[in-house]
Amino acid sequence: MLNRIRQSIVYRIGTLMLLTVLVALSSMVASYVISDAAENDAAAVNLAGSLRAMNYRLAATAPAGDREATRQVADQVARRLQRVLDISDFVADDSSSAAARYTEVQNHWQQEIRPLVESVAAGQTPMNSFQLARRLEPFIGEVDALVSEYQQIAETKIRLLRVVQLGSLFATVLLVYLSLYILHRSVEQPLQQLTDRSMSIAQGDVDLSPLDIDSEDELGVLARTINYMSDEIHATHRDLERRVQLKTAQLQKSHEALDFQYRLARRIGEGPLQGAELEQWLSEFSRLADLENLDLCLMTPEGEAPYEHLVRGFGNNHCDPGDCQVCVSTCGSTVEGDQRNYRFPLEVDKRNYGVLVCSLPQEEELDEEQQQRLATFADSVTAAIAINEREAQERRVALMDERAIIARELHDSLAQSLSYLKIQVTRLTRANRGEQVDRDQVQEIIAELKEGLDSSYRQLRELLTTFRLQIGQGGLRGILEQAILSYREQHPQLSILLDYRLDEIPLTPHEEIHLLQLVREASQNAVYHSQGDRVEISLLQGVNHSLEVQIRDNGIGISDAPEKRNHFGMSIMQERASNLDGELAIRRRETGGTEVSFTFVPDYARNREVIWQEA
């Protein structure tokens, strides 16, 4: 029972309410019982008091000799004495003082007073009223004592009722005060603390002292739960703060690593990395990755020993220069003596350029993120070396292509011109061997030799100009405008017009060079051989993303056999057209003059068509 009261506020408050109700019920029951017991006390006092008056009536009636009246009064006294006994709280044989007093009055009345009164009324005992009254005074005194007894009994009950009511009132006030105290101490104060703590937790303040509620009831359980919850939340906040700080540090390191990789990639794109600069990048990577001992060995694909060995920190203590191939071909983690070595080969397209080695004490290991950073750095170094090698190879290929172009140009121009001149020299020799020399034929051959030499010299100058040609910032349009301006200055009698509409067409350098040479060759033929006064050059976009190039003049027109002498440029234009997979057409215009038309599809349009077909 006590445990239930101590462990439950509801049970405790219910007990107090039950006690209050019991006190109230007890007070009401006691008041009812006492009131019920005192119900006839007033009647008994009145009856006892009326006996005194009846005695005085007997003292006045009996000496007068009225026996009937005296008898009636005596009967009334006897009935009232019996009535007093009937409404009293005791019986005649009770041992209480009131019962003894009543018995004494009853016996005195029956044994002495009533016989005396009846005797006086019958005249047997002569006695006047005064004498009879004096004789009745002891009995009247006994009746007064009986009345006093009844008054004391009534007063005792009233005092008892007052005590019961006062006790009930005190008990009720005490229970109410105790209830309020318990509610204040066990409910209001803890509930206020719980409310304040809940508001603090709702505002995010969990770093508070524990609730001082040491009880076993529901609020105590709730307080301990909130204390535990606050501790858990506070611990969770501390753990989250620690994780946030750790994650922030990791993100900072990741940001630095990404920035490092970005700067390294940008630097790789700018040009080749030299050994000293690569050593600086290795030192910066070592600092960012918190790795002190790094070895970077760079080897040629055919070599057996590194041509560059960059060491950060102490490096690999077990590095054996005579066993480089084993080190380069080994990948992953290996334990060598007191060291644990992680190797990352510099490989691309099955070609090995060296190895990156990270050395740690034997008991330590790299985490996954550090291994990823090492692998990324190794890939970047590999890409830098591969790009450098590829650029060198591209330069070698470009040099060979350029030499092949020079050889082809010489073959297609000067070589053919020289062959033609050699043939003319042979003709001239034969003409001079005869007995009779045909002067006209010799003069014709000499004129053709002169014209061939002029043509060869002109072709040589064009080849020199071609080999020195560079397309600047103005692009194809700019170099064409410069060439036309040069033609106008050299041949002011000619009207040379340019219609260029390829500003929005992306052309590759290869396409621009061949277009430029083709236009220059056709325009030179028009300037030097057309004998006209107008040359029109147009570069337009045709159907299906093709490009159309036209060079027209208003001269004498091309001959019926254009492949005859001094037309070696036509074969060169044909070859340039085939390099662009285009179609070249040279024809005589109906209105007079010659038209050179060239049509081809640029690379961007071909790639777009391939993508559309695949889609």
Side-chain angles (χ1 to χ4, degrees):
M1 183 69 177
L2 292 177
N3 289 334
R4 292 288 299 275
I5 294 174
R6 187 172 58 254
Q7 295 174 358
S8 175
I9 295 177
V10 177
Y11 201 85
R12 194 180 309 162
I13 295 175
T15 302
L16 292 173
M17 293 179 62
L18 179 61
L19 290 176
T20 304
V21 171
L22 289 177
V23 169
L25 290 176
S26 299
S27 175
M28 288 187 289
V29 171
S31 298
Y32 175 78
V33 172
I34 295 173
S35 299
D36 183 69
E39 181 181 4
N40 297 321
D41 290 346
V45 171
N46 289 333
L47 288 173
S50 67
L51 290 176
R52 297 174 59 188
M54 299 297 293
N55 287 326
Y56 287 118
R57 288 180 60 187
L58 286 174
T61 303
D66 190 353
R67 298 180 62 185
E68 185 62 25
T70 300
R71 186 181 61 79
Q72 291 179 358
V73 174
D75 290 340
Q76 290 180 0
V77 171
R79 285 196 301 273
R80 291 190 179 187
L81 283 174
Q82 186 60 40
R83 177 60 180 167
V84 169
L85 180 61
D86 293 338
I87 64 176
S88 297
D89 293 336
F90 53 83
V91 295
D93 56 354
D94 196 357
S95 59
S96 61
S97 59
R101 184 70 64 182
Y102 175 79
T103 302
E104 182 180 354
V105 171
Q106 181 71 15
N107 293 334
H108 195 185
W109 163 258
Q110 292 179 356
Q111 295 176 5
E112 294 184 11
I113 301 304
R114 184 168 186 167
L116 177 60
V117 172
E118 290 179 351
S119 175
V120 172
Q124 296 177 0
T125 302
M127 193 174 294
N128 56 23
S129 297
F130 180 74
Q131 292 176 343
L132 183 58
R134 291 192 61 183
R135 187 69 182 273
L136 292 175
E137 285 181 0
F139 179 71
I140 293 174
E142 293 177 356
V143 172
D144 290 338
L146 181 60
V147 172
S148 298
E149 289 289 342
Y150 278 110
Q151 288 180 348
Q152 290 178 0
I153 292 173
E155 291 175 357
T156 301
K157 293 179 180 179
I158 292 174
R159 285 195 299 271
L160 179 60
L161 180 60
R162 187 180 296 115
V163 170
V164 170
Q165 292 177 346
L166 289 176
S168 299
L169 178 62
F170 177 77
T172 302
V173 172
L174 181 61
L175 289 174
V176 170
Y177 174 78
L178 184 61
S179 300
L180 294 176
Y181 176 77
I182 292 176
L183 287 174
H184 174 72
R185 182 69 179 274
S186 301
V187 178
E188 183 184 5
Q189 289 183 348
L191 193 59
Q192 183 65 36
Q193 295 183 30
L194 293 173
T195 302
D196 295 340
R197 180 56 56 86
S198 299
M199 294 178 64
S200 298
I201 294 175
Q203 295 174 358
D205 187 8
V206 295
D207 189 10
L208 299 172
S209 59
L211 290 171
D212 187 15
I213 302 177
D214 187 13
S215 62
E216 300 179 6
D217 52 21
E218 293 87 346
L219 294 180
V221 174
L222 184 59
R224 288 190 292 273
T225 303
I226 290 180
N227 286 335
Y228 176 76
M229 180 182 67
S230 299
D231 294 338
E232 288 294 321
I233 294 177
H234 185 57
T236 302
H237 279 197
R238 289 199 304 270
D239 183 63
L240 288 177
E241 290 177 357
R242 182 184 60 80
R243 291 186 180 181
V244 167
Q245 293 176 356
L246 180 60
K247 185 60 69 175
T248 302
Q250 293 177 351
L251 290 176
Q252 182 65 28
K253 281 190 171 294
S254 298
H255 172 72
E256 294 177 355
L258 289 176
D259 179 70
F260 172 80
Q261 293 295 336
Y262 168 74
R263 290 187 289 108
L264 179 57
R266 186 176 64 180
R267 176 60 188 87
I268 291 173
E270 294 175 354
L273 289 176
Q274 302 300 328
E277 188 177 2
L278 188 59
E279 186 174 5
Q280 295 178 358
W281 287 105
L282 179 64
S283 299
E284 184 176 355
F285 173 77
S286 174
R287 178 181 57 82
L288 290 176
D290 293 331
L291 300 173
E292 297 181 355
N293 301 325
L294 295 176
D295 285 57
L296 180 59
C297 296
L298 303 181
M299 302 175 60
T300 62
E302 297 80 11
E304 296 181 356
Y307 66 85
E308 191 82 44
H309 188 189
L310 304 177
V311 179
R312 175 67 179 173
F314 295 106
N316 179 14
N317 296 333
H318 300 274
C319 180
D320 185 4
D323 198 14
C324 293
Q325 290 296 332
V326 176
C327 182
V328 169
S329 61
T330 304
C331 181
S333 173
T334 59
V335 177
E336 301 174 5
D338 59 347
Q339 278 190 345
R340 181 184 299 273
N341 294 326
Y342 288 85
R343 291 184 173 86
F344 300 88
L346 309 181
E347 291 184 345
V348 60
D349 296 334
K350 297 183 179 180
R351 296 190 64 180
N352 196 306
Y353 297 98
V355 64
L356 174 64
V357 182
C358 176
S359 300
L360 297 173
Q362 182 179 357
E363 64 276 4
E364 296 183 9
E365 292 183 359
L366 291 177
D367 57 27
E368 184 177 355
E369 184 175 0
Q370 289 177 317
Q371 295 185 38
Q372 182 65 33
R373 290 179 181 176
L374 281 167
T376 303
F377 180 71
D379 292 341
S380 299
V381 175
T382 306
I385 299 175
I387 289 175
N388 295 340
E389 186 179 85
R390 190 177 300 113
E391 289 180 352
Q393 180 65 22
E394 289 177 355
R395 287 193 295 270
R396 287 193 292 268
V397 172
L399 180 61
M400 298 303 295
D401 290 342
E402 185 177 358
R403 290 180 177 180
I405 291 173
I406 293 174
R408 184 185 62 207
E409 296 289 346
L410 291 174
H411 176 269
D412 293 341
S413 58
L414 287 179
Q416 294 184 13
S417 296
L418 293 175
S419 297
Y420 172 75
L421 292 175
K422 184 177 180 181
I423 293 173
Q424 296 301 325
V425 169
T426 302
R427 289 180 58 198
L428 181 60
T429 302
R430 289 178 179 177
N432 288 328
R433 288 178 180 176
E435 294 180 355
Q436 295 181 356
V437 178
D438 190 353
R439 298 291 181 180
D440 295 334
Q441 184 181 6
V442 170
Q443 290 296 329
E444 180 183 359
I445 295 174
I446 291 174
E448 290 180 357
L449 283 173
K450 184 178 180 181
E451 183 179 357
L453 287 173
D454 292 339
S455 176
S456 298
Y457 181 71
R458 180 177 59 82
Q459 291 176 3
L460 176 62
R461 292 183 60 185
E462 290 177 355
L463 286 175
L464 293 175
T465 303
T466 299
F467 296 149
R468 294 172 182 173
L469 181 64
Q470 293 182 352
I471 297 180
Q473 295 181 353
L476 179 61
R477 184 190 187 108
I479 195 65
L480 286 176
E481 291 177 348
Q482 292 179 4
I484 292 173
L485 182 60
S486 176
Y487 290 150
R488 288 173 180 171
E489 292 177 353
Q490 296 176 5
H491 305 276
Q493 74 279 4
L494 290 178
S495 175
I496 304 176
L497 304 177
L498 175 64
D499 185 10
Y500 186 90
R501 301 183 186 180
L502 303 182
D503 290 329
E504 299 180 357
I505 304 299
L507 297 175
T508 64
H510 175 75
E511 293 171 341
E512 288 182 344
I513 289 293
H514 283 291
L515 275 179
L516 175 61
Q517 295 293 359
L518 192 148
V519 172
R520 282 172 59 89
E521 184 70 28
S523 61
Q524 286 177 357
N525 289 335
V527 170
Y528 292 110
H529 303 293
S530 68
Q531 301 180 12
D533 60 356
R534 182 182 180 86
V535 179
E536 298 177 356
I537 303 172
S538 63
L539 291 89
L540 310 175
Q541 183 173 4
V543 296
N544 297 328
H545 302 285
S546 64
L547 300 186
E548 296 181 356
V549 181
Q550 294 178 349
I551 299 93
R552 297 182 294 270
D553 62 68
N554 59 352
I556 60 176
I558 192 170
S559 64
D560 294 335
E563 61 277 359
K564 196 178 177 183
R565 58 180 189 158
N566 297 328
H567 292 282
F568 304 110
M570 295 181 59
S571 61
I572 296 176
M573 287 192 294
Q574 290 286 356
E575 185 174 356
R576 294 191 186 280
S578 63
N579 287 334
L580 295 179
D581 293 333
E583 297 179 359
L584 179 68
I586 303 175
R587 66 181 182 86
R588 182 193 296 270
R589 300 176 63 189
E590 296 179 357
T591 58
T594 303
E595 178 181 282
V596 178
S597 62
F598 171 64
T599 304
F600 81 104
V601 179
D603 284 343
Y604 90 94
R606 295 178 184 177
N607 295 333
R608 179 186 298 175
E609 184 177 358
V610 170
I611 293 174
W612 286 349
Q613 290 176 355
E614 291 179 353

